[in-house]
Amino acid sequence: MKHLLSIDDLGSAGIDEVLALTDSFVEVSSRSIPKVPALRGKTVVSLFYEDSTRTRMSFETAAKRLSADTMTFSVGTSSVKKGESIRDTVQTIEAIGADAIVVRHRSSGVPAQVANWASAAVINAGDGWHEHPTQALLDTYTIQKRLGSLEGRHIAIIGDIKHSRVARSNIKAFHAMGASVTLVAPSTLLPPSLDGWPVEVSHDLDSTLPTVDVAYVLRMQRERMSEALVPTLREYTERFGLNSRRADLLSQTAIVMHPGPMNRGVEIDAAVADRANSVVVDQVRNGVPVRMAVLFLLLGSGSEMFGSIDSFASEMESVRV
Ligand code: NCD
């Protein structure tokens, strides 16, 4: 695998490989000096055309913990403001030197286009409504750690599915790992066609919640809506918000997830987000070792240096910076 553009690039075997490798990097991240020399001499560039808090900091931290050099491109302070095209920007980045380019853009397909132009490895950090594969990997890892496995689990994805790249990547990953997925949303927040999507649909959150192992709540992505798709936000919150009364309908062992950024009081109540069964902070924490695993697999020195993931894991035990 040269690039990570979609969960389809991995399949269930690839997801398993990333998750197994993640365990080694969780161990590295728990050290007093959470750093290994695995990608020394490599350069990882973040090319973010859209706002981000978690994803960008997480990728940059992951790269640094692997001893890679990092470069950050921020649209607001770059020559994009002077009209430079994405293609010229990519060419410039490669001329300076990049082994991996982490791309986020508001349009679907931009990371794939960058992959056509660049010789570096390209990682999709979210493109339009299309995909956000590393978010799906860190969510899958988080569920596996909390619930043991995804096999046979029932996961509800609640809210603005239509505009959500997180939903699209997560549905693929959860399905590949053996979970069943129910989308819970008003019709206006579902895609026009769900043909080929391995999901059930419900418009009734109260009756779905008692049956699930995971309640995965999405943000109302107002910046991606071109028209009003719900009568008012208050009415949306009334019908689909995860409030305390609804969270009480969940089973004792069920967990609550959200990719962030949360709009507390809209799709999720502040109190629910902070309950003991909410794993929102774990999701963010797991993002770093998951992205370390992805960078390590793509930049390839792992196989050259250690031969296999097993020998890599034992090797990491002794390797420190
Ligand atoms: C999401 C994104 O930007 O795709 N956030 C994230 O990466 N954790 C979800 C969102 O914008 O709501």
Side-chain angles (χ1 to χ4, degrees), residues 11-13 15-16 19 140 143-144 149-155 170-181 198 213:
S12 54
I15 296 172
D16 274 333
L19 301 192
T140 305
I143 297 171
Q144 200 181 67
S149 149
L150 277 76
E151 186 67 48
R153 298 294 186 176
H154 183 200
I155 301 174
N170 274 357
I171 289 165
K172 289 179 182 178
F174 296 164
H175 176 70
M177 301 311 280
S180 62
V181 177
D213 300 292

mmCIF file with all atom_site columns, all heavy atoms in Angstrom, residues 11-13 15-16 19 140 143-144 149-155 170-181 198 213:
data_model
loop_
_atom_site.group_PDB
_atom_site.id
_atom_site.type_symbol
_atom_site.label_atom_id
_atom_site.label_alt_id
_atom_site.label_comp_id
_atom_site.label_asym_id
_atom_site.label_entity_id
_atom_site.label_seq_id
_atom_site.pdbx_PDB_ins_code
_atom_site.Cartn_x
_atom_site.Cartn_y
_atom_site.Cartn_z
_atom_site.occupancy
_atom_site.B_iso_or_equiv
_atom_site.pdbx_formal_charge
_atom_site.auth_seq_id
_atom_site.auth_comp_id
_atom_site.auth_asym_id
_atom_site.auth_atom_id
_atom_site.pdbx_PDB_model_num
ATOM 1   N N   . GLY A 1 11  ? -9.078  -2.858  3.732  1.00 0.00 ? 11  GLY A N   1
ATOM 2   C CA  . GLY A 1 11  ? -9.862  -4.079  3.917  1.00 0.00 ? 11  GLY A CA  1
ATOM 3   C C   . GLY A 1 11  ? -9.692  -4.583  5.339  1.00 0.00 ? 11  GLY A C   1
ATOM 4   O O   . GLY A 1 11  ? -8.966  -3.974  6.140  1.00 0.00 ? 11  GLY A O   1
ATOM 5   N N   . SER A 1 12  ? -10.346 -5.710  5.678  1.00 0.00 ? 12  SER A N   1
ATOM 6   C CA  . SER A 1 12  ? -10.303 -6.135  7.082  1.00 0.00 ? 12  SER A CA  1
ATOM 7   C C   . SER A 1 12  ? -8.898  -6.584  7.490  1.00 0.00 ? 12  SER A C   1
ATOM 8   O O   . SER A 1 12  ? -8.468  -6.317  8.613  1.00 0.00 ? 12  SER A O   1
ATOM 9   C CB  . SER A 1 12  ? -11.342 -7.216  7.366  1.00 0.00 ? 12  SER A CB  1
ATOM 10  O OG  . SER A 1 12  ? -11.183 -8.274  6.475  1.00 0.00 ? 12  SER A OG  1
ATOM 11  N N   . ALA A 1 13  ? -8.135  -7.197  6.571  1.00 0.00 ? 13  ALA A N   1
ATOM 12  C CA  . ALA A 1 13  ? -6.774  -7.627  6.937  1.00 0.00 ? 13  ALA A CA  1
ATOM 13  C C   . ALA A 1 13  ? -5.887  -6.419  7.221  1.00 0.00 ? 13  ALA A C   1
ATOM 14  O O   . ALA A 1 13  ? -5.116  -6.408  8.191  1.00 0.00 ? 13  ALA A O   1
ATOM 15  C CB  . ALA A 1 13  ? -6.177  -8.471  5.820  1.00 0.00 ? 13  ALA A CB  1
ATOM 16  N N   . ILE A 1 15  ? -6.899  -3.435  8.193  1.00 0.00 ? 15  ILE A N   1
ATOM 17  C CA  . ILE A 1 15  ? -7.335  -2.798  9.447  1.00 0.00 ? 15  ILE A CA  1
ATOM 18  C C   . ILE A 1 15  ? -6.727  -3.554  10.627 1.00 0.00 ? 15  ILE A C   1
ATOM 19  O O   . ILE A 1 15  ? -6.167  -2.965  11.550 1.00 0.00 ? 15  ILE A O   1
ATOM 20  C CB  . ILE A 1 15  ? -8.883  -2.763  9.549  1.00 0.00 ? 15  ILE A CB  1
ATOM 21  C CG1 . ILE A 1 15  ? -9.473  -1.885  8.437  1.00 0.00 ? 15  ILE A CG1 1
ATOM 22  C CG2 . ILE A 1 15  ? -9.321  -2.254  10.923 1.00 0.00 ? 15  ILE A CG2 1
ATOM 23  C CD1 . ILE A 1 15  ? -10.991 -1.932  8.331  1.00 0.00 ? 15  ILE A CD1 1
ATOM 24  N N   . ASP A 1 16  ? -6.808  -4.892  10.568 1.00 0.00 ? 16  ASP A N   1
ATOM 25  C CA  . ASP A 1 16  ? -6.217  -5.706  11.643 1.00 0.00 ? 16  ASP A CA  1
ATOM 26  C C   . ASP A 1 16  ? -4.737  -5.398  11.819 1.00 0.00 ? 16  ASP A C   1
ATOM 27  O O   . ASP A 1 16  ? -4.239  -5.316  12.948 1.00 0.00 ? 16  ASP A O   1
ATOM 28  C CB  . ASP A 1 16  ? -6.356  -7.206  11.311 1.00 0.00 ? 16  ASP A CB  1
ATOM 29  C CG  . ASP A 1 16  ? -7.705  -7.755  11.760 1.00 0.00 ? 16  ASP A CG  1
ATOM 30  O OD1 . ASP A 1 16  ? -8.280  -7.210  12.718 1.00 0.00 ? 16  ASP A OD1 1
ATOM 31  O OD2 . ASP A 1 16  ? -8.175  -8.729  11.139 1.00 0.00 ? 16  ASP A OD2 1
ATOM 32  N N   . LEU A 1 19  ? -4.278  -2.084  13.572 1.00 0.00 ? 19  LEU A N   1
ATOM 33  C CA  . LEU A 1 19  ? -4.662  -2.134  14.984 1.00 0.00 ? 19  LEU A CA  1
ATOM 34  C C   . LEU A 1 19  ? -3.636  -2.914  15.815 1.00 0.00 ? 19  LEU A C   1
ATOM 35  O O   . LEU A 1 19  ? -3.325  -2.540  16.951 1.00 0.00 ? 19  LEU A O   1
ATOM 36  C CB  . LEU A 1 19  ? -6.068  -2.726  15.157 1.00 0.00 ? 19  LEU A CB  1
ATOM 37  C CG  . LEU A 1 19  ? -7.209  -1.989  14.433 1.00 0.00 ? 19  LEU A CG  1
ATOM 38  C CD1 . LEU A 1 19  ? -8.567  -2.488  14.923 1.00 0.00 ? 19  LEU A CD1 1
ATOM 39  C CD2 . LEU A 1 19  ? -7.136  -0.478  14.578 1.00 0.00 ? 19  LEU A CD2 1
ATOM 40  N N   . THR A 1 140 ? -12.304 2.432   15.469 1.00 0.00 ? 140 THR A N   1
ATOM 41  C CA  . THR A 1 140 ? -12.344 0.969   15.527 1.00 0.00 ? 140 THR A CA  1
ATOM 42  C C   . THR A 1 140 ? -11.430 0.468   16.643 1.00 0.00 ? 140 THR A C   1
ATOM 43  O O   . THR A 1 140 ? -11.788 -0.430  17.415 1.00 0.00 ? 140 THR A O   1
ATOM 44  C CB  . THR A 1 140 ? -11.911 0.387   14.158 1.00 0.00 ? 140 THR A CB  1
ATOM 45  O OG1 . THR A 1 140 ? -12.752 0.957   13.157 1.00 0.00 ? 140 THR A OG1 1
ATOM 46  C CG2 . THR A 1 140 ? -12.035 -1.126  14.126 1.00 0.00 ? 140 THR A CG2 1
ATOM 47  N N   . ILE A 1 143 ? -13.125 1.091   20.041 1.00 0.00 ? 143 ILE A N   1
ATOM 48  C CA  . ILE A 1 143 ? -14.201 0.122   20.325 1.00 0.00 ? 143 ILE A CA  1
ATOM 49  C C   . ILE A 1 143 ? -13.600 -1.231  20.694 1.00 0.00 ? 143 ILE A C   1
ATOM 50  O O   . ILE A 1 143 ? -14.008 -1.870  21.666 1.00 0.00 ? 143 ILE A O   1
ATOM 51  C CB  . ILE A 1 143 ? -15.154 -0.019  19.109 1.00 0.00 ? 143 ILE A CB  1
ATOM 52  C CG1 . ILE A 1 143 ? -15.846 1.312   18.813 1.00 0.00 ? 143 ILE A CG1 1
ATOM 53  C CG2 . ILE A 1 143 ? -16.189 -1.118  19.382 1.00 0.00 ? 143 ILE A CG2 1
ATOM 54  C CD1 . ILE A 1 143 ? -16.643 1.321   17.513 1.00 0.00 ? 143 ILE A CD1 1
ATOM 55  N N   . GLN A 1 144 ? -12.588 -1.640  19.927 1.00 0.00 ? 144 GLN A N   1
ATOM 56  C CA  . GLN A 1 144 ? -11.966 -2.940  20.208 1.00 0.00 ? 144 GLN A CA  1
ATOM 57  C C   . GLN A 1 144 ? -11.393 -2.967  21.631 1.00 0.00 ? 144 GLN A C   1
ATOM 58  O O   . GLN A 1 144 ? -11.546 -3.957  22.341 1.00 0.00 ? 144 GLN A O   1
ATOM 59  C CB  . GLN A 1 144 ? -10.856 -3.170  19.187 1.00 0.00 ? 144 GLN A CB  1
ATOM 60  C CG  . GLN A 1 144 ? -10.455 -4.607  19.041 1.00 0.00 ? 144 GLN A CG  1
ATOM 61  C CD  . GLN A 1 144 ? -9.331  -4.747  18.033 1.00 0.00 ? 144 GLN A CD  1
ATOM 62  O OE1 . GLN A 1 144 ? -8.205  -4.284  18.258 1.00 0.00 ? 144 GLN A OE1 1
ATOM 63  N NE2 . GLN A 1 144 ? -9.624  -5.363  16.918 1.00 0.00 ? 144 GLN A NE2 1
ATOM 64  N N   . SER A 1 149 ? -14.090 -6.728  20.948 1.00 0.00 ? 149 SER A N   1
ATOM 65  C CA  . SER A 1 149 ? -14.092 -6.982  19.505 1.00 0.00 ? 149 SER A CA  1
ATOM 66  C C   . SER A 1 149 ? -15.313 -6.291  18.898 1.00 0.00 ? 149 SER A C   1
ATOM 67  O O   . SER A 1 149 ? -16.252 -5.927  19.603 1.00 0.00 ? 149 SER A O   1
ATOM 68  C CB  . SER A 1 149 ? -14.160 -8.492  19.294 1.00 0.00 ? 149 SER A CB  1
ATOM 69  O OG  . SER A 1 149 ? -14.851 -8.797  18.105 1.00 0.00 ? 149 SER A OG  1
ATOM 70  N N   . LEU A 1 150 ? -15.301 -6.111  17.599 1.00 0.00 ? 150 LEU A N   1
ATOM 71  C CA  . LEU A 1 150 ? -16.467 -5.513  16.927 1.00 0.00 ? 150 LEU A CA  1
ATOM 72  C C   . LEU A 1 150 ? -17.413 -6.581  16.389 1.00 0.00 ? 150 LEU A C   1
ATOM 73  O O   . LEU A 1 150 ? -18.548 -6.290  16.022 1.00 0.00 ? 150 LEU A O   1
ATOM 74  C CB  . LEU A 1 150 ? -16.039 -4.596  15.775 1.00 0.00 ? 150 LEU A CB  1
ATOM 75  C CG  . LEU A 1 150 ? -15.656 -3.168  16.168 1.00 0.00 ? 150 LEU A CG  1
ATOM 76  C CD1 . LEU A 1 150 ? -14.275 -3.121  16.804 1.00 0.00 ? 150 LEU A CD1 1
ATOM 77  C CD2 . LEU A 1 150 ? -15.720 -2.229  14.974 1.00 0.00 ? 150 LEU A CD2 1
ATOM 78  N N   . GLU A 1 151 ? -16.931 -7.796  16.335 1.00 0.00 ? 151 GLU A N   1
ATOM 79  C CA  . GLU A 1 151 ? -17.698 -8.903  15.776 1.00 0.00 ? 151 GLU A CA  1
ATOM 80  C C   . GLU A 1 151 ? -19.051 -9.045  16.489 1.00 0.00 ? 151 GLU A C   1
ATOM 81  O O   . GLU A 1 151 ? -19.108 -9.171  17.705 1.00 0.00 ? 151 GLU A O   1
ATOM 82  C CB  . GLU A 1 151 ? -16.872 -10.192 15.949 1.00 0.00 ? 151 GLU A CB  1
ATOM 83  C CG  . GLU A 1 151 ? -17.434 -11.431 15.297 1.00 0.00 ? 151 GLU A CG  1
ATOM 84  C CD  . GLU A 1 151 ? -17.443 -11.357 13.775 1.00 0.00 ? 151 GLU A CD  1
ATOM 85  O OE1 . GLU A 1 151 ? -16.408 -10.987 13.203 1.00 0.00 ? 151 GLU A OE1 1
ATOM 86  O OE2 . GLU A 1 151 ? -18.499 -11.661 13.187 1.00 0.00 ? 151 GLU A OE2 1
ATOM 87  N N   . GLY A 1 152 ? -20.135 -8.975  15.726 1.00 0.00 ? 152 GLY A N   1
ATOM 88  C CA  . GLY A 1 152 ? -21.475 -9.159  16.292 1.00 0.00 ? 152 GLY A CA  1
ATOM 89  C C   . GLY A 1 152 ? -21.997 -7.959  17.078 1.00 0.00 ? 152 GLY A C   1
ATOM 90  O O   . GLY A 1 152 ? -23.092 -8.013  17.637 1.00 0.00 ? 152 GLY A O   1
ATOM 91  N N   . ARG A 1 153 ? -21.237 -6.893  17.154 1.00 0.00 ? 153 ARG A N   1
ATOM 92  C CA  . ARG A 1 153 ? -21.691 -5.709  17.895 1.00 0.00 ? 153 ARG A CA  1
ATOM 93  C C   . ARG A 1 153 ? -22.668 -4.895  17.053 1.00 0.00 ? 153 ARG A C   1
ATOM 94  O O   . ARG A 1 153 ? -22.641 -4.953  15.822 1.00 0.00 ? 153 ARG A O   1
ATOM 95  C CB  . ARG A 1 153 ? -20.498 -4.816  18.255 1.00 0.00 ? 153 ARG A CB  1
ATOM 96  C CG  . ARG A 1 153 ? -19.483 -5.483  19.155 1.00 0.00 ? 153 ARG A CG  1
ATOM 97  C CD  . ARG A 1 153 ? -20.074 -5.771  20.507 1.00 0.00 ? 153 ARG A CD  1
ATOM 98  N NE  . ARG A 1 153 ? -19.061 -6.274  21.432 1.00 0.00 ? 153 ARG A NE  1
ATOM 99  C CZ  . ARG A 1 153 ? -19.318 -6.538  22.709 1.00 0.00 ? 153 ARG A CZ  1
ATOM 100 N NH1 . ARG A 1 153 ? -20.540 -6.359  23.199 1.00 0.00 ? 153 ARG A NH1 1
ATOM 101 N NH2 . ARG A 1 153 ? -18.366 -6.976  23.487 1.00 0.00 ? 153 ARG A NH2 1
ATOM 102 N N   . HIS A 1 154 ? -23.505 -4.122  17.735 1.00 0.00 ? 154 HIS A N   1
ATOM 103 C CA  . HIS A 1 154 ? -24.474 -3.270  17.039 1.00 0.00 ? 154 HIS A CA  1
ATOM 104 C C   . HIS A 1 154 ? -24.111 -1.807  17.314 1.00 0.00 ? 154 HIS A C   1
ATOM 105 O O   . HIS A 1 154 ? -24.028 -1.394  18.479 1.00 0.00 ? 154 HIS A O   1
ATOM 106 C CB  . HIS A 1 154 ? -25.892 -3.582  17.529 1.00 0.00 ? 154 HIS A CB  1
ATOM 107 C CG  . HIS A 1 154 ? -26.953 -2.810  16.807 1.00 0.00 ? 154 HIS A CG  1
ATOM 108 N ND1 . HIS A 1 154 ? -28.215 -2.612  17.317 1.00 0.00 ? 154 HIS A ND1 1
ATOM 109 C CD2 . HIS A 1 154 ? -26.942 -2.176  15.599 1.00 0.00 ? 154 HIS A CD2 1
ATOM 110 C CE1 . HIS A 1 154 ? -28.928 -1.893  16.461 1.00 0.00 ? 154 HIS A CE1 1
ATOM 111 N NE2 . HIS A 1 154 ? -28.178 -1.615  15.407 1.00 0.00 ? 154 HIS A NE2 1
ATOM 112 N N   . ILE A 1 155 ? -23.880 -1.062  16.246 1.00 0.00 ? 155 ILE A N   1
ATOM 113 C CA  . ILE A 1 155 ? -23.434 0.327   16.388 1.00 0.00 ? 155 ILE A CA  1
ATOM 114 C C   . ILE A 1 155 ? -24.446 1.261   15.726 1.00 0.00 ? 155 ILE A C   1
ATOM 115 O O   . ILE A 1 155 ? -24.784 1.077   14.550 1.00 0.00 ? 155 ILE A O   1
ATOM 116 C CB  . ILE A 1 155 ? -22.041 0.505   15.721 1.00 0.00 ? 155 ILE A CB  1
ATOM 117 C CG1 . ILE A 1 155 ? -21.028 -0.446  16.371 1.00 0.00 ? 155 ILE A CG1 1
ATOM 118 C CG2 . ILE A 1 155 ? -21.572 1.966   15.822 1.00 0.00 ? 155 ILE A CG2 1
ATOM 119 C CD1 . ILE A 1 155 ? -19.651 -0.476  15.708 1.00 0.00 ? 155 ILE A CD1 1
ATOM 120 N N   . ASN A 1 170 ? -16.385 5.149   8.665  1.00 0.00 ? 170 ASN A N   1
ATOM 121 C CA  . ASN A 1 170 ? -16.687 4.275   9.799  1.00 0.00 ? 170 ASN A CA  1
ATOM 122 C C   . ASN A 1 170 ? -17.617 3.135   9.413  1.00 0.00 ? 170 ASN A C   1
ATOM 123 O O   . ASN A 1 170 ? -17.436 2.010   9.872  1.00 0.00 ? 170 ASN A O   1
ATOM 124 C CB  . ASN A 1 170 ? -17.286 5.087   10.954 1.00 0.00 ? 170 ASN A CB  1
ATOM 125 C CG  . ASN A 1 170 ? -16.200 5.685   11.841 1.00 0.00 ? 170 ASN A CG  1
ATOM 126 O OD1 . ASN A 1 170 ? -15.022 5.447   11.634 1.00 0.00 ? 170 ASN A OD1 1
ATOM 127 N ND2 . ASN A 1 170 ? -16.599 6.453   12.821 1.00 0.00 ? 170 ASN A ND2 1
ATOM 128 N N   . ILE A 1 171 ? -18.595 3.395   8.580  1.00 0.00 ? 171 ILE A N   1
ATOM 129 C CA  . ILE A 1 171 ? -19.503 2.316   8.163  1.00 0.00 ? 171 ILE A CA  1
ATOM 130 C C   . ILE A 1 171 ? -18.682 1.198   7.509  1.00 0.00 ? 171 ILE A C   1
ATOM 131 O O   . ILE A 1 171 ? -18.857 0.019   7.803  1.00 0.00 ? 171 ILE A O   1
ATOM 132 C CB  . ILE A 1 171 ? -20.580 2.855   7.192  1.00 0.00 ? 171 ILE A CB  1
ATOM 133 C CG1 . ILE A 1 171 ? -21.570 3.742   7.954  1.00 0.00 ? 171 ILE A CG1 1
ATOM 134 C CG2 . ILE A 1 171 ? -21.310 1.709   6.484  1.00 0.00 ? 171 ILE A CG2 1
ATOM 135 C CD1 . ILE A 1 171 ? -22.458 4.612   7.067  1.00 0.00 ? 171 ILE A CD1 1
ATOM 136 N N   . LYS A 1 172 ? -17.761 1.576   6.629  1.00 0.00 ? 172 LYS A N   1
ATOM 137 C CA  . LYS A 1 172 ? -16.930 0.560   5.953  1.00 0.00 ? 172 LYS A CA  1
ATOM 138 C C   . LYS A 1 172 ? -16.080 -0.217  6.956  1.00 0.00 ? 172 LYS A C   1
ATOM 139 O O   . LYS A 1 172 ? -15.979 -1.437  6.889  1.00 0.00 ? 172 LYS A O   1
ATOM 140 C CB  . LYS A 1 172 ? -15.988 1.239   4.944  1.00 0.00 ? 172 LYS A CB  1
ATOM 141 C CG  . LYS A 1 172 ? -16.695 1.786   3.730  1.00 0.00 ? 172 LYS A CG  1
ATOM 142 C CD  . LYS A 1 172 ? -15.686 2.452   2.794  1.00 0.00 ? 172 LYS A CD  1
ATOM 143 C CE  . LYS A 1 172 ? -16.391 3.053   1.589  1.00 0.00 ? 172 LYS A CE  1
ATOM 144 N NZ  . LYS A 1 172 ? -15.441 3.751   0.702  1.00 0.00 ? 172 LYS A NZ  1
ATOM 145 N N   . ALA A 1 173 ? -15.451 0.525   7.873  1.00 0.00 ? 173 ALA A N   1
ATOM 146 C CA  . ALA A 1 173 ? -14.550 -0.141  8.826  1.00 0.00 ? 173 ALA A CA  1
ATOM 147 C C   . ALA A 1 173 ? -15.336 -1.026  9.801  1.00 0.00 ? 173 ALA A C   1
ATOM 148 O O   . ALA A 1 173 ? -14.957 -2.173  10.048 1.00 0.00 ? 173 ALA A O   1
ATOM 149 C CB  . ALA A 1 173 ? -13.736 0.899   9.590  1.00 0.00 ? 173 ALA A CB  1
ATOM 150 N N   . PHE A 1 174 ? -16.444 -0.512  10.341 1.00 0.00 ? 174 PHE A N   1
ATOM 151 C CA  . PHE A 1 174 ? -17.222 -1.289  11.312 1.00 0.00 ? 174 PHE A CA  1
ATOM 152 C C   . PHE A 1 174 ? -17.766 -2.556  10.648 1.00 0.00 ? 174 PHE A C   1
ATOM 153 O O   . PHE A 1 174 ? -17.739 -3.645  11.228 1.00 0.00 ? 174 PHE A O   1
ATOM 154 C CB  . PHE A 1 174 ? -18.389 -0.455  11.881 1.00 0.00 ? 174 PHE A CB  1
ATOM 155 C CG  . PHE A 1 174 ? -17.969 0.762   12.697 1.00 0.00 ? 174 PHE A CG  1
ATOM 156 C CD1 . PHE A 1 174 ? -18.891 1.778   12.982 1.00 0.00 ? 174 PHE A CD1 1
ATOM 157 C CD2 . PHE A 1 174 ? -16.675 0.893   13.182 1.00 0.00 ? 174 PHE A CD2 1
ATOM 158 C CE1 . PHE A 1 174 ? -18.522 2.895   13.740 1.00 0.00 ? 174 PHE A CE1 1
ATOM 159 C CE2 . PHE A 1 174 ? -16.286 2.009   13.931 1.00 0.00 ? 174 PHE A CE2 1
ATOM 160 C CZ  . PHE A 1 174 ? -17.219 3.011   14.215 1.00 0.00 ? 174 PHE A CZ  1
ATOM 161 N N   . HIS A 1 175 ? -18.255 -2.410  9.410  1.00 0.00 ? 175 HIS A N   1
ATOM 162 C CA  . HIS A 1 175 ? -18.789 -3.559  8.679  1.00 0.00 ? 175 HIS A CA  1
ATOM 163 C C   . HIS A 1 175 ? -17.675 -4.582  8.414  1.00 0.00 ? 175 HIS A C   1
ATOM 164 O O   . HIS A 1 175 ? -17.859 -5.786  8.624  1.00 0.00 ? 175 HIS A O   1
ATOM 165 C CB  . HIS A 1 175 ? -19.410 -3.071  7.357  1.00 0.00 ? 175 HIS A CB  1
ATOM 166 C CG  . HIS A 1 175 ? -19.903 -4.167  6.491  1.00 0.00 ? 175 HIS A CG  1
ATOM 167 N ND1 . HIS A 1 175 ? -21.023 -4.937  6.804  1.00 0.00 ? 175 HIS A ND1 1
ATOM 168 C CD2 . HIS A 1 175 ? -19.425 -4.667  5.321  1.00 0.00 ? 175 HIS A CD2 1
ATOM 169 C CE1 . HIS A 1 175 ? -21.211 -5.836  5.866  1.00 0.00 ? 175 HIS A CE1 1
ATOM 170 N NE2 . HIS A 1 175 ? -20.255 -5.708  4.945  1.00 0.00 ? 175 HIS A NE2 1
ATOM 171 N N   . ALA A 1 176 ? -16.511 -4.090  7.987  1.00 0.00 ? 176 ALA A N   1
ATOM 172 C CA  . ALA A 1 176 ? -15.392 -5.006  7.697  1.00 0.00 ? 176 ALA A CA  1
ATOM 173 C C   . ALA A 1 176 ? -14.985 -5.790  8.943  1.00 0.00 ? 176 ALA A C   1
ATOM 174 O O   . ALA A 1 176 ? -14.531 -6.928  8.845  1.00 0.00 ? 176 ALA A O   1
ATOM 175 C CB  . ALA A 1 176 ? -14.193 -4.214  7.174  1.00 0.00 ? 176 ALA A CB  1
ATOM 176 N N   . MET A 1 177 ? -15.171 -5.198  10.128 1.00 0.00 ? 177 MET A N   1
ATOM 177 C CA  . MET A 1 177 ? -14.762 -5.869  11.361 1.00 0.00 ? 177 MET A CA  1
ATOM 178 C C   . MET A 1 177 ? -15.904 -6.676  11.992 1.00 0.00 ? 177 MET A C   1
ATOM 179 O O   . MET A 1 177 ? -15.784 -7.140  13.120 1.00 0.00 ? 177 MET A O   1
ATOM 180 C CB  . MET A 1 177 ? -14.238 -4.842  12.378 1.00 0.00 ? 177 MET A CB  1
ATOM 181 C CG  . MET A 1 177 ? -13.047 -4.021  11.891 1.00 0.00 ? 177 MET A CG  1
ATOM 182 S SD  . MET A 1 177 ? -11.729 -5.016  11.165 1.00 0.00 ? 177 MET A SD  1
ATOM 183 C CE  . MET A 1 177 ? -10.922 -5.599  12.643 1.00 0.00 ? 177 MET A CE  1
ATOM 184 N N   . GLY A 1 178 ? -17.026 -6.807  11.264 1.00 0.00 ? 178 GLY A N   1
ATOM 185 C CA  . GLY A 1 178 ? -18.080 -7.727  11.704 1.00 0.00 ? 178 GLY A CA  1
ATOM 186 C C   . GLY A 1 178 ? -19.190 -7.115  12.525 1.00 0.00 ? 178 GLY A C   1
ATOM 187 O O   . GLY A 1 178 ? -20.027 -7.834  13.075 1.00 0.00 ? 178 GLY A O   1
ATOM 188 N N   . ALA A 1 179 ? -19.246 -5.783  12.640 1.00 0.00 ? 179 ALA A N   1
ATOM 189 C CA  . ALA A 1 179 ? -20.331 -5.136  13.390 1.00 0.00 ? 179 ALA A CA  1
ATOM 190 C C   . ALA A 1 179 ? -21.507 -4.847  12.455 1.00 0.00 ? 179 ALA A C   1
ATOM 191 O O   . ALA A 1 179 ? -21.326 -4.751  11.237 1.00 0.00 ? 179 ALA A O   1
ATOM 192 C CB  . ALA A 1 179 ? -19.832 -3.839  14.011 1.00 0.00 ? 179 ALA A CB  1
ATOM 193 N N   . SER A 1 180 ? -22.711 -4.716  13.026 1.00 0.00 ? 180 SER A N   1
ATOM 194 C CA  . SER A 1 180 ? -23.838 -4.232  12.221 1.00 0.00 ? 180 SER A CA  1
ATOM 195 C C   . SER A 1 180 ? -24.098 -2.773  12.585 1.00 0.00 ? 180 SER A C   1
ATOM 196 O O   . SER A 1 180 ? -23.910 -2.361  13.729 1.00 0.00 ? 180 SER A O   1
ATOM 197 C CB  . SER A 1 180 ? -25.083 -5.091  12.441 1.00 0.00 ? 180 SER A CB  1
ATOM 198 O OG  . SER A 1 180 ? -25.476 -5.006  13.787 1.00 0.00 ? 180 SER A OG  1
ATOM 199 N N   . VAL A 1 181 ? -24.484 -1.998  11.563 1.00 0.00 ? 181 VAL A N   1
ATOM 200 C CA  . VAL A 1 181 ? -24.597 -0.547  11.739 1.00 0.00 ? 181 VAL A CA  1
ATOM 201 C C   . VAL A 1 181 ? -26.028 -0.094  11.447 1.00 0.00 ? 181 VAL A C   1
ATOM 202 O O   . VAL A 1 181 ? -26.610 -0.473  10.424 1.00 0.00 ? 181 VAL A O   1
ATOM 203 C CB  . VAL A 1 181 ? -23.618 0.190   10.790 1.00 0.00 ? 181 VAL A CB  1
ATOM 204 C CG1 . VAL A 1 181 ? -23.773 1.706   10.918 1.00 0.00 ? 181 VAL A CG1 1
ATOM 205 C CG2 . VAL A 1 181 ? -22.170 -0.211  11.070 1.00 0.00 ? 181 VAL A CG2 1
ATOM 206 N N   . PRO A 1 198 ? -23.923 -1.108  3.725  1.00 0.00 ? 198 PRO A N   1
ATOM 207 C CA  . PRO A 1 198 ? -24.299 -2.232  4.593  1.00 0.00 ? 198 PRO A CA  1
ATOM 208 C C   . PRO A 1 198 ? -24.898 -1.748  5.920  1.00 0.00 ? 198 PRO A C   1
ATOM 209 O O   . PRO A 1 198 ? -24.316 -1.940  6.983  1.00 0.00 ? 198 PRO A O   1
ATOM 210 C CB  . PRO A 1 198 ? -22.958 -2.952  4.800  1.00 0.00 ? 198 PRO A CB  1
ATOM 211 C CG  . PRO A 1 198 ? -21.932 -1.857  4.704  1.00 0.00 ? 198 PRO A CG  1
ATOM 212 C CD  . PRO A 1 198 ? -22.478 -0.832  3.759  1.00 0.00 ? 198 PRO A CD  1
ATOM 213 N N   . ASP A 1 213 ? -24.513 -1.404  21.217 1.00 0.00 ? 213 ASP A N   1
ATOM 214 C CA  . ASP A 1 213 ? -23.301 -1.453  22.035 1.00 0.00 ? 213 ASP A CA  1
ATOM 215 C C   . ASP A 1 213 ? -22.557 -0.129  21.972 1.00 0.00 ? 213 ASP A C   1
ATOM 216 O O   . ASP A 1 213 ? -21.767 0.187   22.855 1.00 0.00 ? 213 ASP A O   1
ATOM 217 C CB  . ASP A 1 213 ? -22.367 -2.561  21.512 1.00 0.00 ? 213 ASP A CB  1
ATOM 218 C CG  . ASP A 1 213 ? -23.019 -3.918  21.565 1.00 0.00 ? 213 ASP A CG  1
ATOM 219 O OD1 . ASP A 1 213 ? -23.248 -4.403  22.686 1.00 0.00 ? 213 ASP A OD1 1
ATOM 220 O OD2 . ASP A 1 213 ? -23.359 -4.474  20.495 1.00 0.00 ? 213 ASP A OD2 1
#
